[in-house]
Amino acid sequence: MRAYSLLLVLSVLGAAQTGTAVKYHATINDVKYVYGMAAPVAHLKSGEIIETNTLDAFGNALKKPGDRLSMVKGDNPLTGPFYVDGAQPGDTLAVRILDLQVDGNQGVGSLAPGFGALNQTTYTAMLHTALPERIWFYPIDKATNTATFRALDSKFSVKIPLHPFLGCIGVAPAGGEARSSLVPAEFGGNMDAPEAAAGNVLYLPVNVPGALLYMGDGHAAMGDGEIAGSAIEVPLTERVQVNVIKGKKINWPRFENDGAIMAVGAYRPLDDALRIAFTELVEWIHKDYGLSTLDAYELLSKVARVHLDEMVDPNYVVVASIEKKFLPPKKSGGGHGL
Amino acid sequence: MRAYSLLLVLSVLGAAQTGTAVKYHATINDVKYVYGMAAPVAHLKSGEIIETNTLDAFGNALKKPGDRLSMVKGDNPLTGPFYVDGAQPGDTLAVRILDLQVDGNQGVGSLAPGFGALNQTTYTAMLHTALPERIWFYPIDKATNTATFRALDSKFSVKIPLHPFLGCIGVAPAGGEARSSLVPAEFGGNMDAPEAAAGNVLYLPVNVPGALLYMGDGHAAMGDGEIAGSAIEVPLTERVQVNVIKGKKINWPRFENDGAIMAVGAYRPLDDALRIAFTELVEWIHKDYGLSTLDAYELLSKVARVHLDEMVDPNYVVVASIEKKFLPPKKSGGGHGL
Amino acid sequence: MRAYSLLLVLSVLGAAQTGTAVKYHATINDVKYVYGMAAPVAHLKSGEIIETNTLDAFGNALKKPGDRLSMVKGDNPLTGPFYVDGAQPGDTLAVRILDLQVDGNQGVGSLAPGFGALNQTTYTAMLHTALPERIWFYPIDKATNTATFRALDSKFSVKIPLHPFLGCIGVAPAGGEARSSLVPAEFGGNMDAPEAAAGNVLYLPVNVPGALLYMGDGHAAMGDGEIAGSAIEVPLTERVQVNVIKGKKINWPRFENDGAIMAVGAYRPLDDALRIAFTELVEWIHKDYGLSTLDAYELLSKVARVHLDEMVDPNYVVVASIEKKFLPPKKSGGGHGL
Amino acid sequence: MRAYSLLLVLSVLGAAQTGTAVKYHATINDVKYVYGMAAPVAHLKSGEIIETNTLDAFGNALKKPGDRLSMVKGDNPLTGPFYVDGAQPGDTLAVRILDLQVDGNQGVGSLAPGFGALNQTTYTAMLHTALPERIWFYPIDKATNTATFRALDSKFSVKIPLHPFLGCIGVAPAGGEARSSLVPAEFGGNMDAPEAAAGNVLYLPVNVPGALLYMGDGHAAMGDGEIAGSAIEVPLTERVQVNVIKGKKINWPRFENDGAIMAVGAYRPLDDALRIAFTELVEWIHKDYGLSTLDAYELLSKVARVHLDEMVDPNYVVVASIEKKFLPPKKSGGGHGL
């Protein structure tokens, strides 16, 4: 086990995170719409904390009944990029999500042309008359930690518990690519992963010097699959801590917390997203926990959990996970910082 | 609300089920390997209880290390069919699962050629050398309600909590079809659904007189997706109560309990299985709980749950669900017996 | 090379086929709607010729403007089954299509709810308002060998050259299954394959004694993919010769003529249908023409042809082929009867 | 019909193209590996001709038996970009391919890890031992216009007729994205389309000022689907003429020649690629040739052709086409320059 691993065990897993904080306030004037190369809005050292904010998926443009999607300047405006000193291609960036707070008192949901799992879309193209545009507003009550769904076509309303998370979190892609803020892929991005919530660490592959971390698209709550194409879309404030894990290369994003390891697959169709997530999880178990590949495969067939994050973006996102209680002790020197 | 609905509310939802029991003991000599027309092994009245047993997915043929898959006579031998008096095409059969017990002290898991989500298969054909056949045995401890995974390639072992359920439960298909016991589809079948467990009601479309209910393929526990192709395969004993809901037609299987309604989609690829499950769930909410279609769609985008049951059989199975606490009161006369 | 192979080379490949003919006339009263076990309408010896007729996909029910799909009694009525003496599970049935003639002077095309590649369907379920039902009639002119498309919404009309083929041709499935006449799969069935035309031989796996051959769903012409869900649907008269190839087992249907060998994949999604077709073609080349698996794979990457037969049925059908001029001479004893 | 349309009819459709030629010679030192923003290698006026060359998919690195894929610096090196004066977002770029010549006397085919339709890949991930790396060399004989396949594992060889085309041709993507030279998508790119051959016009959406045209990945011949992951890979010399069609916006690439119109769909799974191609083709027919949407859909179901270009890249490419002889006369003012 190299020295940095031990340090990271301390710094990444440690309960209270007290690194230096770098503050940055984002506005609609300096957001980005692609994950790629751009001038950093701030520089951080490994171990430091970002305190920032993100606009909602609509750039905070939808405020009241009657507002239309045509008022939205661009989807999923991103705060960033943040440049992490010392991060180099081939490293892994560990982003520990310390705290996410809804930054306002209202969320928004929408039905948009060309979007949604039960709708003809840009990529599942058909000849029907499109479903109509619709917008729902969700009052948020921080005292009860709930948002309220109010039906548009009847008088029904119901409270939904909040689970704030980052719909978008990712780094600059590999190979000189730049990808839209609508896309989830190997670099993270628009994963719409409820796993991107306080208490979890997200691992992302570093593809360019400084990694260039972006965040956006806060969600106050979301159903599995995000099937109509939106969550309860909200501005957020974030506290996240970044750590560079040197010389550790991963191919796809991973999440981890004290209880579980979670591998992300982001592609189409869902079948392939699931295959990616599970081959990554098998390999993770094999390398860091020492089970043979076939034993790991068999064990997952008995105890794995699958979370369908979304089936509405240009790629679909599946998270395959296993509780650590089902695993052998981690090998000395094995795996990430956790 | 018609009379039968009220009765069904009482009989199907009632806590303790005390209908007359029809007992039937299955052996390898009288199991079936297709869902289709066959001479009934027993007749029941609506409201009566079946007490029976099922063999494991291998016909109980694998007993000890060294046994091989070539010893298996046929996959997923089915107990049945049970003929339910009065069930006619266009009705729905409600199967309330009262109790499932592992019928033995050992379970089996296997890696089989042409099977598994990370393996080339009959239908996702490739040119690789196949993964090898492997068999794992799982001692079952009823005192602790666990099965034990023991790695083949290392000394690791771990206990897994039992969650017994029926991998196979279905009726004769529509249109004169007969389907292999490996197949899940509109008639239920090899859904590998952990939802088919005690405490839940399963609704199946009735396609032929008497419905012709089959059961088999007991699982002591299973990971989401059943990715290596098997669960902890066990013989089971079953107590299930059948009720005929006259004149109520459904297109795909549904589950329900006191807390949630759950719609099944069983097809390929997963994308389409998910679309089926969610369009069924939207329609269920619309018809029985009165939300408009688009309000139901939006609400699901915020609070739905998706469970991937399996991605290894000839069709893949997804269950989309919503907790009843997020729904309006059921409409008078709305929906099933529950 | 066993004796029967030599004989088959003579009988199957020979230019003019002069076997004894068995005649059978089908009407709406004795058609079938599933591929499965049923009392044979006729028995044949290997080498004999069937002279019969088939109704169109609508059972000849649609005759004139104003007729509706609700007048159709059942889709794809099948003529048969024909019992071929001596055919046993594990054999291959070679069906040489000698002649197909349109049996009438009009064809029909339709747009049906739940059907079509650009339409929400039973299996690609969505929430849109469905596309409307529409019916087009195609006058057929045998002198010019054309059918005429006449637009419903404008005055445009155009002639389309006839290419008569059997949309449905298949045998009883394996494992005791029975499948709807809408389904293509391992047993052939509703392949909607323009390859099922005069001049080609179709090989089908024999799954039950006598094979039980069915035919139906004649097409006068069809576009690749059959994307709106129908071809120019017509009644046909058929002359086909059947030969049993003993002890030769195939997994999926195959076509062959003097110029090419063609492997069928029938599943969903298209990706998997294509994988099936190509792994079958690689194996065919390897076994019968002696190239190594990887050489065959590489060669196909340079000269293969892919034909998308349909993407509208419960399974999708792809045919992968290679011209014989690109292959080594067939191995002595290699392959089918051809 | 606006003035430019008439001019384009003359300049784009005219038989002999005699515009001014801009010459540019590419080497391994100035190729690009992404479609995106980059300094132009040359500027052209609308109507002018590019005379240039492209390296093969391996950067011309593989020369003789024993050479390995690890010698390849980057896949699909691109010549360009070419800046077309006056091209603005919302316009269409028409690229008329005048002449393509193989630039050398040898082609290369390869089997590469993580690539190929019958191989586990980055995106269809599995647990098998990978297929081995293999390289085939194809001597090219310009006198007979053939390349020769020589088996690696036997003594078989066979001549394959040449059909030179550009595997890669595309422009800078929309929305600030930059995509790898391995990717086909809305901007064209690695379509591996045999349609990109002399005699055809390719239409591409203009997303950035100057369009920024790139070319590369020449193929001397290719099977449908490019299933093992490579064609006969060759350096090419190109003569192509570019024309800007002002104010005409398309969503996906299109091909056209005197006989047919062809729409491209580039996505995953194949099902969706096909849906894209056909909805585009229906719309093209509706807008430019005046058939109603449903008449166009029906007509395509009877006479369309589908060409599967490749099923091995990050997106799959399908071309749906119809011969012009089946269409009404083009509407006055309708459609592109042709």
Side-chain angles (χ1 to χ4, degrees), chain B residues 3-83:
Chain B
Y4 66 79
S5 293
L6 181 57
L7 290 174
L8 280 162
V9 167
L10 297 177
S11 67
V12 178
L13 248 199
Q17 303 300 324
T18 56
T20 314
V22 172
K23 301 186 184 194
Y24 171 74
H25 183 75
T27 73
I28 190 70
N29 297 318
D30 41 35
V31 291
K32 313 297 184 309
Y33 295 97
V34 294
Y35 299 91
M37 302 303 287
V41 297
H43 284 254
L44 293 102
K45 293 188 174 51
S46 183
E48 286 190 322
I49 289 169
I50 302 170
E51 292 183 4
T52 192
N53 69 298
T54 50
L55 307 185
D56 76 16
F58 310 106
N60 297 358
L62 304 180
K63 294 297 186 191
K64 59 184 185 310
D67 287 354
R68 299 294 309 265
L69 289 173
S70 56
M71 301 164 66
V72 177
K73 192 175 158 189
D75 293 318
N76 291 352
L78 300 173
T79 296
F82 297 91
Y83 188 104

Side-chain angles (χ1 to χ4, degrees), chain A residues 129-154:
Chain A
T129 302
L131 295 181
E133 177 182 327
R134 285 284 174 91
I135 297 174
W136 289 259
F137 291 95
Y138 292 80
I140 288 175
D141 178 359
K142 291 183 181 175
T144 58
N145 207 35
T146 58
T148 299
F149 167 79
R150 295 183 300 199
L152 293 182
D153 300 326
S154 64

Side-chain angles (χ1 to χ4, degrees), chain A residues 82-287:
Chain A
F82 296 92
Y83 188 105
V84 185
D85 293 345
Q88 292 293 337
D91 298 339
T92 289
L93 185 70
V95 184
R96 186 186 178 97
I97 302 174
L98 301 173
D99 187 52
L100 300 177
Q101 297 293 332
V102 176
D103 190 16
N105 55 12
Q106 182 176 264
V108 187
S110 73
L111 213 56
F115 226 71
L118 307 182
N119 200 2
Q120 59 186 328
T121 68
T122 306
Y123 298 119
T124 305
M126 297 196 169
L127 294 179
H128 308 98
T129 302
L131 295 181
E133 177 182 327
R134 285 284 174 91
I135 297 174
W136 289 259
F137 291 95
Y138 292 80
I140 288 175
D141 178 359
K142 291 183 181 175
T144 58
N145 207 35
T146 58
T148 299
F149 167 79
R150 295 183 300 199
L152 293 182
D153 300 326
S154 64
K155 296 195 168 177
F156 176 68
S157 70
V158 66
K159 288 187 185 305
I160 299 170
L162 301 190
H163 173 74
F165 65 94
L166 286 159
C168 283
I169 179 165
V171 293
E177 285 205 316
R179 300 304 310 273
S180 159
S181 55
L182 287 173
V183 175
E186 289 93 329
F187 61 90
N190 189 21
M191 295 185 286
D192 289 318
E195 289 80 5
N200 288 346
V201 175
L202 167 64
Y203 302 100
L204 293 167
V206 177
N207 302 304
V208 302
L212 299 184
L213 180 69
Y214 295 85
M215 292 178 281
D217 188 26
H219 291 170
M222 191 183 85
D224 293 348
E226 201 189 16
I227 61 155
S230 74
I232 300 178
E233 307 289 336
V234 289
L236 287 180
T237 58
E238 293 91 8
R239 289 189 75 239
V240 307
Q241 187 183 35
V242 294
N243 279 282
V244 179
I245 306 178
K246 295 298 297 179
K248 166 81 184 177
K249 185 171 165 29
I250 56 175
N251 295 317
W252 291 87
R254 297 176 174 187
F255 289 98
E256 184 171 9
N257 60 29
D258 289 342
I261 59 174
M262 300 165 255
V264 174
Y267 217 62
R268 279 170 54 125
L270 274 183
D271 311 18
D272 278 347
L274 188 121
R275 288 184 182 111
I276 292 167
F278 269 112
T279 51
E280 289 292 308
L281 191 55
V282 166
E283 183 182 314
W284 191 351
I285 293 170
H286 175 55
K287 288 206 176 160

Side-chain angles (χ1 to χ4, degrees), chain A residues 34 122-127 175-180 183 186 252 267-269 272 275-276 279 282 293 297 314-316, chain D residues 34 122-127 175-180 183 186 252 267-269 272 275-276 279 282 293 297 314-315:
Chain A
V34 294
T122 306
Y123 298 119
T124 305
M126 297 196 169
L127 294 179
E177 285 205 316
R179 300 304 310 273
S180 159
V183 175
E186 289 93 329
W252 291 87
Y267 217 62
R268 279 170 54 125
D272 278 347
R275 288 184 182 111
I276 292 167
T279 51
V282 166
T293 297
Y297 185 33
N315 288 324
Y316 303 152
Chain D
V34 294
T122 306
Y123 299 119
T124 305
M126 296 195 171
L127 294 179
E177 285 204 315
R179 300 304 310 274
S180 159
V183 174
E186 290 94 328
W252 291 87
Y267 217 62
R268 278 171 55 126
D272 278 346
R275 289 185 182 111
I276 292 167
T279 51
V282 166
T293 297
Y297 185 34
N315 288 324

